[in-house]
Amino acid sequence: MSERKQTATDAGQAALSADRKSNFGSTPDPWEACTRLEHGGDRSFAWSVREQVIDALPEDRERIEGRLLDALRRAGLSEAGRAFVCQMLALVAGPRSVPVLAALLKDPKSADDARYALQPVPGPEADAALRDALGSLSGPAKAGLIGTIALRGDTTVRAVLAGIRANPSEAPVVRDAAARALDHLKA
Amino acid sequence: MTPPLPLARRAFLKQSGLAAATAAATLILPSGLRGANAPSRKITVGIVGSGNIAHSHYGKLLGEQESVRILAVCDVDRERRDEGAARVNRSYGTADCKAYADFRELNRRSDIDAVFICTPDHWHALVAIDAMRNGKDVYIEKPMTLTIEEGRAVVAAARKHHRVAQHGTQHRSMKRFHDVAEYVRNQGLGKLERIECFIPPNNRHVGATWKAEPVPAGLDWEMWLGPSPWRPYSSLGCHYNFRFISDSAYGQVTNWGAHYLDIGQWAMDADAGGPVAVEGHGEFPSSGLFSNATKVNFTVRYANGVPMTCRTRHEGGGTSRFIGERGWLDISRNRMTASNPDLLREMQASGKKIQLELSNDHHENFLACVRSRKKPIADVEIGHRTTTVCNLGQIAMVLGRSLKWDPAKEEFVGDAMANRLRGRAMRSPWSLV
C-alpha cells in the first residue's frame, strides 16, 4: 500500500471512530421526514425532496412518482405532509398515480390536495377519477371539483352538470359552479 | 356591452349646467341609467382590497370628485375596510360609501361601473373575472395574475364580456418610460444588443420556523387565503408580506419585475407575444415561512436574439437599462441617464417614424377608456404578456434549467414539468371557471 493510500485509510478510520463516539444521529430520510411536515416546522427535508423531484430527468420521473406515492401511504402522514406530497405529484404524476389520488379525492379532508395533484395529469384515467368523485363530495369541495373538471375540458360530463345545476337539493355554491362549468364547456 | 358614455364629464357639466348640483352625492345613479339622457356622468367605483396599494388609489380617485365616485370598499379585514370606507366618506362628507367583506357582493351592485382590484396577487384573477362577468370594467393591480393560466383566463373574460381592463403598470403612463420605449423602437440606440432590468431585493427574513397564531378579530382568514393552499394564520405571512410566499405571489419578480420588464416588452414590440427562451438561477430559502427567491437572476431571449435579464440589486433600486450599438439608456422612476447626453436629446426630438401611444396618467387613461370603450394603454393582453415574462423567469429559476417558450401557443417546448407550472388547482370552492 502506498504511503498516500495508507494515510487516507487511517484518516477514514479515525473519522469513523469519531462518528461512533459522537452524539450525532443519522440523517433522517427526507422522503420519510417530509410526510411528517407541520405548518411552521422545519421544511428543509421537504426541500430536499422538492429538489429531487425538480431535478429528476424525464426517464427517472416514474421512479420519483413511485417514491411520492409511497410517501402518501406512510402511517403518520400529516396534513401539511400530504399537501406537500400532492404538490410534488402535480409536477410528475401520470396515470399510475390516479388510483391513489382518486381515493383521496373522495374524502373532503384530502380532496383539495388530491385535486391539486390530479388537475394537470393528462389522460382519460384522471378525467374518470374526477367524474367519479362527483358522487362522493358535496358543498365547496364539490364546487372545486366541478371547476377542475370543466377546466380540463371534459365535455362528457355536461349532462351530469346540467342535472346538478337543476337539483334544488344541491348547495347553491355547487349549482353555481355547475352553471359556470356548463358555460365554460359550451365555449 | 355597456353603451359608451358619449360626453366627457366636463363637457357634459358645461352643457347641462349641473356642475353645482353634481357636487352633491345624491346624483349617483346606477350604470344602467348611464345613457345619453342620464343625469349623472360620474364613473362609479368599487375598490376590492384596502391595503397600502388601495390607499394610493383612494388618494388619486378622491381627487377626481367631479368625474369619479367611490361607492364601495371591500376587504376581508374589517379594520381595513372600515378605515377605507371612512376615508372615502370623510372626503365626500357623506356616509354613502359602503364596506363589504365579500367582493362578490360588491361586484353584484348594479350601480358600480368599475372595480379596482388591490388584493394580494392570488386573488387578482378571480376578483377580476367575477367583476367582468357582472359587467364591471376593471383596473387590476400588478402583477395582473399569479399564474400564466390565470392571465389567459382574465383576457378571455375581458373579451367575452366586452370590458375595459387596465393593468396597473403605471410606468406605461409616465412619459420618460414612453420616450425610452419609443426611442428604442425607432432604433435610436442603433441595433439593440440587450436589456438589463434590476429589481430590489427580497429582503424579509422571519426565521427558519414560524408559529401559527390566533386569527385576529375581524379578519376572515379563510377568505384571505381564498384559492391558495391552506395554512394557519401568522401575522408574518399576512397583508404586505404575502408577496414573499409563493402560494400568493412571486416576490420582487412580480412586484417590481412587472414594472421594469413591462417597459422592456414595450420596447421590444412584444405586447402581443413575448420571448422564446428563458434561463434562470434563483436562490430560494429552504426553510421558513417565506419561499420566494432572495436572489433573482434570469434571462429571457426574444426571437431576434435580444436578451433581457432581470437581476436582484441590493442597493440602488429598480431600473431598466437598454444597451445598443450607439450606447445605453438607464431609466427608473426617479432618473434617466445615458452613456451620452446626445442620446437623451435625440430621444426628445419629435417626428419619429414609430410613435407609441402616449398617456400621462394611468387613472385618467383608464377612466377615459371606460367612457370611450377603447382599449387602455395597459390593456389586459399587454398585462398578461408582461406577467408571463415574470412567470417565465420564476419557472426557470424554480426548475434551474433553460426552457424554450412558444409565445403563440403559450407553452413551453418539450418540458412537461414546466408546462404544469403554468397554472395550479385552486382550493375549494374556487376555480377559474
Side-chain angles (χ1 to χ4, degrees):
Chain A
M1 186 182 289
S2 71
E3 190 176 331
R4 180 182 289 181
K5 278 188 177 174
Q6 181 63 51
T7 304
T9 305
D10 290 348
Q13 285 176 344
L16 205 60
S17 175
D19 273 356
R20 287 197 192 104
K21 291 174 186 170
S22 77
N23 292 324
F24 292 115
S26 58
T27 304
D29 172 11
W31 293 90
E32 194 279 331
C34 77
T35 66
R36 288 182 280 107
L37 186 67
E38 294 293 344
H39 290 292
D42 178 6
R43 65 179 173 89
S44 55
F45 293 108
W47 184 265
S48 171
V49 169
R50 174 190 177 277
E51 294 289 277
Q52 292 181 57
V53 172
I54 281 171
D55 291 344
L57 297 171
E59 59 269 25
D60 196 32
R61 284 182 192 154
E62 264 196 51
R63 186 184 67 80
I64 291 289
E65 180 185 11
R67 297 203 73 173
L68 290 166
L69 293 174
D70 288 344
L72 273 186
R73 297 187 191 100
R74 280 185 189 266
L77 179 69
S78 66
E79 286 186 17
R82 183 182 64 220
F84 167 75
V85 173
C86 285
Q87 286 169 19
M88 294 300 99
L89 275 169
L91 298 175
V92 294
R96 176 188 176 193
S97 293
V98 171
V100 177
L101 295 171
L104 293 175
L105 189 62
K106 292 180 178 177
D107 182 345
K109 288 181 184 166
S110 53
D112 278 357
D113 294 335
R115 198 162 50 77
Y116 198 105
L118 270 173
Q119 187 164 297
V121 176
E125 297 89 350
D127 284 330
L130 290 160
R131 281 196 304 269
D132 193 39
L134 281 172
S136 302
L137 295 176
S138 61
K142 189 170 185 175
L145 175 65
I146 289 169
T148 288
I149 290 170
L151 266 183
R152 288 172 58 91
D154 182 1
T155 54
T156 67
V157 80
R158 277 184 186 142
V160 175
L161 292 177
I164 292 171
R165 182 181 58 182
N167 184 352
S169 66
E170 292 280 9
V173 68
V174 175
R175 297 177 69 184
D176 286 351
R180 288 199 305 274
L182 283 165
D183 191 47
H184 180 82
L185 291 170
K186 184 178 66 183
Chain B
M1 180 175 171
T2 305
L5 302 177
L7 297 174
R9 170 65 182 163
R10 288 177 193 282
F12 172 79
L13 290 174
K14 195 173 176 182
Q15 288 175 25
S16 64
L18 283 173
T22 49
T26 51
L27 284 177
I28 309 308
L29 295 182
S31 56
L33 298 178
R34 292 187 313 179
N37 297 320
S40 171
R41 285 294 177 277
K42 289 193 181 186
I43 293 172
T44 50
V45 166
I47 295 183
V48 178
S50 191
N52 295 340
I53 293 290
H55 277 274
S56 68
H57 292 294
Y58 289 134
K60 179 71 182 171
L61 296 173
L62 291 172
E64 305 276 343
Q65 295 194 15
E66 285 191 357
S67 56
V68 177
R69 185 82 179 183
I70 302 173
L71 294 186
V73 169
C74 173
D75 200 290
V76 297
D77 185 331
R78 185 176 62 213
E79 190 176 319
R80 288 185 167 219
R81 65 175 176 266
D82 287 349
E83 181 189 3
R87 179 176 176 182
V88 173
N89 284 328
R90 266 198 315 274
S91 179
Y92 291 152
T94 66
D96 297 343
C97 180
K98 192 171 176 188
Y100 293 88
D102 188 324
F103 68 93
R104 290 168 293 188
E105 288 184 59
L106 183 151
N107 284 346
R108 277 151 189 73
R109 275 183 63 162
S110 60
D111 57 349
I112 288 178
D113 299 322
V115 175
F116 282 64
I117 297 159
C118 313
T119 62
D121 304 359
H122 63 261
W123 265 118
H124 285 184
L126 291 178
V127 177
I129 291 169
D130 186 71
M132 292 190 281
R133 192 179 276 147
N134 282 282
K136 316 304 184 204
D137 297 324
V138 292
Y139 182 114
I140 312 169
E141 261 302 335
K142 55 81 198 166
M144 198 174 92
T145 56
L146 180 59
T147 69
I148 295 170
E149 188 178 77
E150 289 172 7
R152 181 45 62 201
V154 168
V155 175
R159 302 300 181 250
K160 178 180 178 181
H161 301 291
H162 306 288
R163 293 294 100 200
V164 171
Q166 172 92 299
H167 186 215
T169 40
Q170 69 268 29
H171 287 186
R172 291 256 174 173
S173 294
M174 295 180 183
K175 189 169 185 305
R176 66 160 59 121
F177 288 102
H178 163 274
D179 290 350
V180 166
E182 190 174 83
Y183 187 58
V184 171
R185 288 270 280 270
N186 281 284
Q187 304 283 308
L189 291 174
K191 186 171 185 280
L192 186 65
E193 293 171 356
R194 65 185 188 277
I195 305 169
E196 295 179 349
C197 298
F198 288 94
I199 56 176
N202 207 9
N203 56 359
R204 301 288 175 103
H205 179 68
V206 291
T209 59
W210 54 281
K211 286 184 179 172
E213 301 166 41
V215 178
L219 173 66
D220 184 343
W221 178 241
E222 290 297 318
M223 198 64 172
W224 190 95
L225 286 172
S228 60
W230 189 86
R231 69 170 187 272
Y233 172 78
S234 161
S235 55
L236 299 170
C238 189
H239 296 326
Y240 181 84
N241 284 352
F242 75 83
R243 70 199 68 227
F244 304 118
I245 301 171
S246 57
D247 286 341
S248 291
Y250 295 140
Q252 301 295 22
V253 172
T254 41
N255 191 34
W256 280 102
H259 284 307
Y260 286 105
L261 295 165
D262 182 54
I263 301 306
Q265 279 275 103
W266 204 8
M268 289 300 300
D269 193 14
D271 282 342
V276 296
V278 59
E279 59 187 28
H281 300 281
E283 291 181 6
F284 293 85
S286 59
S287 63
L289 176 61
F290 295 166
S291 47
N292 281 321
T294 51
K295 187 174 179 183
V296 169
N297 187 353
F298 67 84
T299 301
V300 296
R301 196 172 297 275
Y302 292 86
N304 63 2
V306 172
M308 177 162 69
T309 62
C310 181
R311 282 182 283 166
T312 298
R313 179 153 67 186
H314 288 275
E315 292 177 356
T319 66
S320 298
R321 178 171 289 208
F322 296 85
I323 300 153
E325 57 188 355
R326 296 185 63 220
W328 54 261
L329 286 167
D330 195 286
I331 182 168
S332 71
R333 284 189 184 177
N334 306 319
R335 62 185 167 79
M336 186 155 59
T337 54
S339 57
N340 181 339
D342 288 343
L343 297 176
L344 296 175
R345 277 191 287 273
E346 279 180 24
M347 195 171 66
Q348 301 299 332
S350 58
K352 294 186 184 70
K353 185 177 174 186
I354 299 170
Q355 299 205 344
L356 301 182
E357 183 183 353
L358 179 62
S359 158
N360 286 316
D361 187 304
H362 219 48
H363 288 80
E364 289 292 342
N365 175 265
F366 173 64
L367 297 170
C369 291
V370 169
R371 295 176 189 281
S372 69
R373 313 312 298 167
K374 289 180 181 171
K375 283 183 184 173
I377 185 92
D379 172 63
V380 276
E381 178 69 34
I382 296 169
H384 168 55
R385 296 295 185 164
T386 290
T387 307
T388 293
V389 175
C390 301
N391 269 268
L392 296 182
Q394 171 73 9
I395 292 169
M397 289 195 301
V398 164
L399 297 180
R401 54 180 177 254
S402 301
L403 301 165
K404 290 181 180 173
W405 175 249
D406 182 335
K409 293 181 180 173
E410 297 192 270
E411 288 177 2
F412 291 100
V413 180
D415 197 313
M417 192 183 287
N419 277 324
R420 291 187 181 201
L421 290 169
R422 290 174 302 167
R424 57 173 78 169
M426 294 179 171
R427 194 167 69 104
S428 294
W430 307 103
S431 127
L432 275 180
V433 168

